[in-house]
Amino acid sequence: MNVLEMRQITKVYGTAPNEVRALDGVDFSVEPGHLVAVMGPSGSGKSTLLTIAGSLEEPTSGEVVVNGQPLGSMSRNERAALRRRTIGYVFQDFNLLPGLSAIENVSLPLELDGVGLRRARAAGRAALESLGLADRADHFPDQLSGGERQRVAIARAVVGERTLLLADEPSGALDSVSGEAVMRLIHDACQRGVAAVVVTHDAQLASWADRVVFIRDGRIVDQTSTSADVEAMLGRQRPGTPS
Amino acid sequence: MSVRHALLALLSDGAKYGLQLRNEFEARTGEVWPLNVGQVYQTLARLERDGLVAVEDRGADGPQRLYRITRAGRRELEEWLVTPPDLSAPPRDELVMKVLVAAELEGVDVRAMIQAHRRYLISVMQQWTRVKGDESALDLHLALAVDAEIFRLEALVRWLDAAEGRLKRHPLARRAQPARPATRKTEARP
């Protein structure tokens, strides 16, 4: 079963004659353990795709299904619970709460979901440890470097039992080595079974994906083959090696 | 890639046999720039002719010959390291040529053509990224060489993005109407 299934999604902002069709009949899905990158120019609809996938915004028409549950048939409270338990978000500007330490930021979604403080903090600590941030747990965001802040944001996105990770330009203004580190973390989360969607205009970040989807004017116009298809086509041969 | 200077660099930390040089070269950057043993011996013969390497045992044949770098070889290597490569003349890049030609042709869907090239370039980038794989097991030389290739391909993708934007705004490009497929399906094989 796909973790995320978007069927015939259309999103229209405004009303005629000034309406803007941000998405126009988009079909999009992600399997467990897969990393899919969405590329497109500014205004192509890629960020709208992500916010609708994450239930932060509702489509004008079409259906979004997360882990087999159609969002359209859920109450507002049920959708909020789904967002807390199942979906992790990573934004370009990290969106960490400045008054909370790293561990508090990471464990907050669990605490909001009613998980006991001790259990939530233990899960938060485990997530920070897995990203090499154990010694930064008690630091506040302004005491962390840009790369560390983004790792905390990723820890927050994967803490607990999240199965869907949604990232919008996750390397932000980081340098290319730190950007690669961010993509390695997202890639590692996928190795553990998380499904991830990364929206980016950066081809280097997108190249970490199993599949790259291209969006233009609110429509998916093209995509690369999946990694399995490419491996099969190349007979597991790597580029540059003589045939 | 200058095989000549790469071999001088490998010899700079001690005398080596031809096969050993080939193996060390392959271990570092072979995935990016494969090298056959014939190329190694051919290059070593030229280096010897130019006095940049010397053979320890002249009586030995091919695989048994031990090479060492000479003083002139070290000077050559040092000079090469600090001399910028000549990049003043733009290369006649085939991808650039295709887009320039397409922009002039009536009835070609340049946007679709650019997208086909973009998809291909990103597919190749995906393969190189997979070569980087597990960071802890990644050889430094290989990582640097793969990074260089990924940056080169990314520059082409960015140029395609810029070209698409420029063509969209340019009156000359607007007159071209898509009438027939401009591209064949490209395979993700470098």
Side-chain angles (χ1 to χ4, degrees):
Chain A
M1 181 176 65
N2 289 325
V3 175
L4 173 67
E5 189 93 40
M6 300 177 82
R7 299 177 191 138
Q8 283 299 299
I9 298 296
T10 293
K11 179 68 183 177
V12 180
Y13 295 106
T15 49
N18 299 319
E19 71 173 33
V20 176
R21 198 163 276 261
L23 292 177
D24 191 1
V26 167
D27 289 312
F28 180 75
S29 60
V30 190
E31 297 167 49
H34 275 227
L35 170 52
V36 179
V38 180
M39 290 191 83
S42 303
S44 59
K46 57 188 192 297
S47 290
T48 304
L49 179 89
L50 202 74
T51 53
I52 290 176
S55 163
L56 297 171
E57 206 174 3
E58 287 187 30
T60 307
S61 64
E63 187 176 40
V64 182
V65 180
V66 176
N67 288 333
Q69 298 174 279
L71 299 190
S73 64
M74 288 182 182
S75 68
R76 190 182 271 196
N77 284 347
E78 286 171 332
R79 278 204 300 272
L82 179 91
R83 283 197 294 270
R84 287 195 304 271
R85 288 174 198 157
T86 308
I87 306 173
Y89 306 89
V90 180
F91 301 98
Q92 183 171 1
D93 48 4
F94 320 137
N95 278 14
L96 297 178
L97 295 171
L100 299 184
S101 66
I103 182 77
E104 288 166 342
N105 262 289
V106 173
S107 53
L108 183 65
L110 298 179
E111 289 175 46
L112 288 174
D113 200 33
V115 175
L117 184 65
R118 191 173 293 181
R119 248 183 75 206
R121 291 289 163 91
R125 200 166 290 279
L128 285 172
E129 269 173 21
S130 72
L131 301 185
L133 287 166
D135 60 337
R136 294 285 190 271
D138 298 318
H139 286 59
F140 288 87
D142 64 357
Q143 297 172 314
L144 301 170
S145 70
E148 287 171 338
R149 266 180 268 174
Q150 194 58 312
R151 272 147 72 199
V152 172
I154 292 171
R156 183 182 57 186
V158 297
V159 72
E161 305 297 319
R162 310 290 182 79
T163 52
L164 179 59
L165 176 62
L166 303 174
D168 195 348
E169 299 289 2
S171 75
L174 301 177
D175 60 63
S176 67
V177 174
S178 304
E180 176 176 319
V182 165
M183 291 312 294
R184 280 187 185 279
L185 295 174
I186 294 175
H187 190 258
D188 290 349
C190 292
Q191 303 275 299
R192 298 194 299 272
V194 170
V197 182
V198 174
V199 158
T200 185
H201 69 280
D202 183 327
Q204 283 205 38
L205 295 193
S207 71
W208 282 90
D210 297 297
R211 181 161 54 97
V212 181
V213 167
F214 299 92
I215 189 165
R216 288 276 180 290
D217 303 328
R219 292 167 186 245
I220 290 178
V221 293
D222 201 2
Q223 61 178 321
T224 62
S225 307
T226 63
S227 49
D229 292 342
V230 172
E231 292 278 334
M233 187 167 71
L234 296 176
R236 302 206 167 272
Q237 189 185 25
R238 285 172 168 181
T241 52
S243 49
Chain B
M1 174 62 189
S2 167
V3 176
R4 182 180 167 89
H5 295 96
L7 294 181
L8 285 177
L10 289 172
L11 287 170
S12 65
D13 63 356
K16 283 163 192 168
Y17 295 100
L19 202 57
Q20 189 183 356
L21 285 167
R22 190 251 184 175
N23 291 344
E24 285 188 21
F25 185 98
E26 283 275 311
R28 293 182 187 191
T29 53
E31 298 226 34
V32 187
W33 299 297
L35 184 67
N36 66 49
V37 76
Q39 270 176 288
V40 173
Y41 285 113
Q42 207 172 32
T43 309
L44 284 169
R46 288 193 194 125
L47 288 168
E48 187 184 359
R49 179 198 66 198
D50 297 342
L52 303 176
V53 302
V55 178
E56 295 276 302
D57 179 3
R58 296 200 154 272
D61 62 356
Q64 274 78 45
R65 298 182 107 197
L66 186 64
Y67 295 88
R68 66 173 173 78
I69 191 168
T70 62
R71 191 173 293 174
R74 283 190 191 281
R75 271 202 308 274
E76 165 75 19
L77 178 62
E78 282 163 15
E79 201 171 309
W80 175 75
L81 286 174
V82 296
T83 307
D86 183 9
L87 301 175
S88 55
R92 201 165 293 154
D93 188 284
E94 191 181 341
L95 182 62
V96 176
M97 296 299 289
K98 284 177 197 281
V99 175
L100 294 186
V101 169
E104 292 295 317
L105 289 179
E106 292 272 352
V108 172
D109 186 348
V110 186
R111 209 177 178 196
M113 190 196 92
I114 284 177
Q115 174 53 30
H117 290 303
R118 182 188 285 116
R119 172 175 18 91
Y120 171 75
L121 287 168
I122 290 177
S123 298
V124 180
M125 288 177 74
Q126 283 178 285
Q127 292 170 52
W128 283 121
T129 299
R130 263 169 235 139
V131 171
K132 288 204 274 187
D134 179 8
E135 194 173 24
S136 58
L138 185 60
D139 177 88
L140 174 65
H141 295 88
L142 177 62
L144 291 170
V146 169
D147 279 346
E149 189 55 16
I150 287 176
F151 274 100
R152 189 182 72 80
L153 294 166
E154 184 200 16
L156 289 171
V157 174
R158 292 182 65 178
W159 178 77
L160 285 177
D161 292 345
E164 188 175 341
R166 197 175 284 281
L167 284 162
K168 202 172 167 181
R169 288 190 299 273
H170 199 280
L172 177 72
R174 283 204 198 113
R175 73 167 196 221
Q177 294 297 316
R180 61 175 189 271
T183 56
R184 294 186 311 155
K185 189 172 165 49
T186 46
E187 289 188 344
R189 183 164 198 162

